[in-house]
Amino acid sequence: MKTLELFGGIGAPRKALLNLGVDIKVIDYVEIKESRVRAYNALYDHLHKTQSVVGWNLKPDILVHGSPCQDNSQAQFSSHTNKKNKKRGAEKDSGTRSSLMHETVKIIKQMGEWKPKFVIWENVTGVLAGNTINAFNTYLHDMSNLGYTNSFDVVNSLDFGIPHSRERVFCISVLNGDVFDFSKLKKKEMQPISDFLEYTAADYDKVPDEYIINIPSMLNRIEEFNPIKPGEKYRRRLNIITEHCWTITERQDRCPNSGILRMNNGQYRYLTERECWRLLGFDDKDYNNVAKKFPKQPGKRSATMYALAGNSIVVSVLEAIFEVLLSGDYAVKDDMTEKTSN
């Protein structure tokens, strides 16, 4: 099974296939950010260099791409500074980072008659919003013209064993007629959040100082001190993690974030970098191999290790998708009409 990872990040698709015991050959890994390439090389013992997706050409069986999502996020369009003269989301030729999704279409066109059997694209739910849905529909249209049928759905990693609420749009394009059936994905019972934590509430005396929240502007936003009143408009706040965390992004020291943890001594803490990696589906061996490449400064959190996790795809979700694809029983049986957006 030959795979190609575009906008490859830290290699979540490869991790998922390895977990499933699939005999794969990654014919290439394309990522332009140096820190992610270094992390990927540490995880999989490679010597890849940074490279752009623009003008790239090889022939995989499965192509996985997740173009940068920042320009598709709702926050991108909510701020006053972005409302005026802002090129929108993933529109073709807009010059935004998220418009690179259309480079994948160009790459497939350059392959000629031979094309990947499956193309998997992942991004934030903002691609279905008013500012970006036209660009997404353009992508679907272009893939259809290349001979693919497209199926997309919003998938939450909570449904696949991970106590991490991370909603993402997955679009699976299948060559020559079959429509992927998302209802075939095998859901799993969510594991306890305690299984993913380095420090439980009772371990407060072991928590390094750098993870304890002591900034007044953050403390003032903790939900139990500042709850939203009935009828009050949404206000940014820090949620307390009990059963699961919320979407892990590049940073934890901002509001909102993926949530904070209450300790038994009346203090609160951030998730650690290792905990974030676990909540994306990577094991401690993975984390340790990459952490050696990005050593932390004493008494400081690692912005790089947080960012690498926050930009990844949850491994267990990819495992569920690959399991169905590789089984051969992935097609919608009673309705072969392509699923499109409104």
Side-chain angles (χ1 to χ4, degrees), residues 1-3 17-18 20-25 326:
M1 179 67 67
K2 297 178 180 178
T3 65
L17 288 167
L18 289 173
L20 293 173
V22 177
D23 185 14
I24 64 169
K25 178 181 180 181
L326 298 175

mmCIF file of all heavy atoms in Angstrom, residues 1-3 17-18 20-25 326:
data_model
loop_
_atom_site.group_PDB
_atom_site.id
_atom_site.type_symbol
_atom_site.label_atom_id
_atom_site.label_comp_id
_atom_site.label_asym_id
_atom_site.label_seq_id
_atom_site.Cartn_x
_atom_site.Cartn_y
_atom_site.Cartn_z
ATOM 1 N N MET A 1 0.845 -1.186 0.000
ATOM 2 C CA MET A 1 0.000 0.000 0.000
ATOM 3 C C MET A 1 0.885 1.241 0.000
ATOM 4 O O MET A 1 1.620 1.491 0.950
ATOM 5 C CB MET A 1 -0.914 -0.008 1.230
ATOM 6 C CG MET A 1 -1.836 1.202 1.333
ATOM 7 S SD MET A 1 -3.078 1.251 0.036
ATOM 8 C CE MET A 1 -4.061 -0.171 0.480
ATOM 9 N N LYS A 2 0.820 2.009 -1.069
ATOM 10 C CA LYS A 2 1.641 3.207 -1.179
ATOM 11 C C LYS A 2 0.830 4.424 -0.734
ATOM 12 O O LYS A 2 -0.295 4.631 -1.192
ATOM 13 C CB LYS A 2 2.114 3.406 -2.624
ATOM 14 C CG LYS A 2 3.013 2.294 -3.133
ATOM 15 C CD LYS A 2 3.398 2.529 -4.588
ATOM 16 C CE LYS A 2 4.293 1.409 -5.107
ATOM 17 N NZ LYS A 2 4.640 1.591 -6.531
ATOM 18 N N THR A 3 1.395 5.209 0.166
ATOM 19 C CA THR A 3 0.698 6.389 0.670
ATOM 20 C C THR A 3 1.508 7.647 0.396
ATOM 21 O O THR A 3 2.732 7.599 0.262
ATOM 22 C CB THR A 3 0.435 6.293 2.183
ATOM 23 O OG1 THR A 3 1.690 6.289 2.880
ATOM 24 C CG2 THR A 3 -0.339 5.031 2.528
ATOM 25 N N LEU A 17 -1.929 3.734 10.302
ATOM 26 C CA LEU A 17 -1.731 2.516 9.509
ATOM 27 C C LEU A 17 -0.774 1.552 10.197
ATOM 28 O O LEU A 17 -0.964 0.331 10.165
ATOM 29 C CB LEU A 17 -1.220 2.887 8.117
ATOM 30 C CG LEU A 17 -2.271 3.534 7.198
ATOM 31 C CD1 LEU A 17 -1.611 4.161 5.975
ATOM 32 C CD2 LEU A 17 -3.325 2.510 6.763
ATOM 33 N N LEU A 18 0.267 2.070 10.836
ATOM 34 C CA LEU A 18 1.181 1.211 11.589
ATOM 35 C C LEU A 18 0.455 0.531 12.746
ATOM 36 O O LEU A 18 0.680 -0.651 13.031
ATOM 37 C CB LEU A 18 2.362 2.034 12.101
ATOM 38 C CG LEU A 18 3.370 2.506 11.047
ATOM 39 C CD1 LEU A 18 4.390 3.459 11.666
ATOM 40 C CD2 LEU A 18 4.082 1.326 10.396
ATOM 41 N N LEU A 20 -2.547 -0.348 12.795
ATOM 42 C CA LEU A 20 -3.407 -1.385 12.221
ATOM 43 C C LEU A 20 -2.610 -2.553 11.652
ATOM 44 O O LEU A 20 -3.193 -3.540 11.190
ATOM 45 C CB LEU A 20 -4.284 -0.781 11.117
ATOM 46 C CG LEU A 20 -5.334 0.241 11.570
ATOM 47 C CD1 LEU A 20 -6.004 0.879 10.363
ATOM 48 C CD2 LEU A 20 -6.381 -0.404 12.468
ATOM 49 N N GLY A 21 -1.283 -2.433 11.649
ATOM 50 C CA GLY A 21 -0.446 -3.506 11.129
ATOM 51 C C GLY A 21 -0.427 -3.592 9.619
ATOM 52 O O GLY A 21 -0.125 -4.649 9.053
ATOM 53 N N VAL A 22 -0.733 -2.489 8.946
ATOM 54 C CA VAL A 22 -0.769 -2.477 7.481
ATOM 55 C C VAL A 22 0.645 -2.337 6.924
ATOM 56 O O VAL A 22 1.430 -1.508 7.389
ATOM 57 C CB VAL A 22 -1.652 -1.306 6.971
ATOM 58 C CG1 VAL A 22 -1.635 -1.251 5.447
ATOM 59 C CG2 VAL A 22 -3.076 -1.469 7.484
ATOM 60 N N ASP A 23 0.947 -3.137 5.920
ATOM 61 C CA ASP A 23 2.246 -3.068 5.249
ATOM 62 C C ASP A 23 2.204 -1.905 4.268
ATOM 63 O O ASP A 23 1.566 -1.984 3.215
ATOM 64 C CB ASP A 23 2.528 -4.379 4.518
ATOM 65 C CG ASP A 23 3.921 -4.405 3.900
ATOM 66 O OD1 ASP A 23 4.750 -3.541 4.263
ATOM 67 O OD2 ASP A 23 4.170 -5.278 3.052
ATOM 68 N N ILE A 24 2.854 -0.803 4.627
ATOM 69 C CA ILE A 24 2.749 0.400 3.810
ATOM 70 C C ILE A 24 4.119 0.861 3.341
ATOM 71 O O ILE A 24 5.145 0.533 3.923
ATOM 72 C CB ILE A 24 2.070 1.560 4.576
ATOM 73 C CG1 ILE A 24 2.926 1.983 5.784
ATOM 74 C CG2 ILE A 24 0.661 1.205 4.970
ATOM 75 C CD1 ILE A 24 2.472 3.266 6.428
ATOM 76 N N LYS A 25 4.093 1.624 2.275
ATOM 77 C CA LYS A 25 5.280 2.322 1.811
ATOM 78 C C LYS A 25 4.894 3.787 1.621
ATOM 79 O O LYS A 25 4.041 4.108 0.797
ATOM 80 C CB LYS A 25 5.794 1.752 0.487
ATOM 81 C CG LYS A 25 7.024 2.498 -0.040
ATOM 82 C CD LYS A 25 7.500 1.926 -1.374
ATOM 83 C CE LYS A 25 8.727 2.696 -1.868
ATOM 84 N NZ LYS A 25 9.204 2.172 -3.179
ATOM 85 N N LEU A 326 -9.810 -0.208 3.875
ATOM 86 C CA LEU A 326 -8.999 -1.375 3.542
ATOM 87 C C LEU A 326 -9.794 -2.680 3.597
ATOM 88 O O LEU A 326 -9.375 -3.685 3.023
ATOM 89 C CB LEU A 326 -7.795 -1.452 4.475
ATOM 90 C CG LEU A 326 -6.825 -0.259 4.372
ATOM 91 C CD1 LEU A 326 -5.729 -0.364 5.417
ATOM 92 C CD2 LEU A 326 -6.220 -0.162 2.973
#
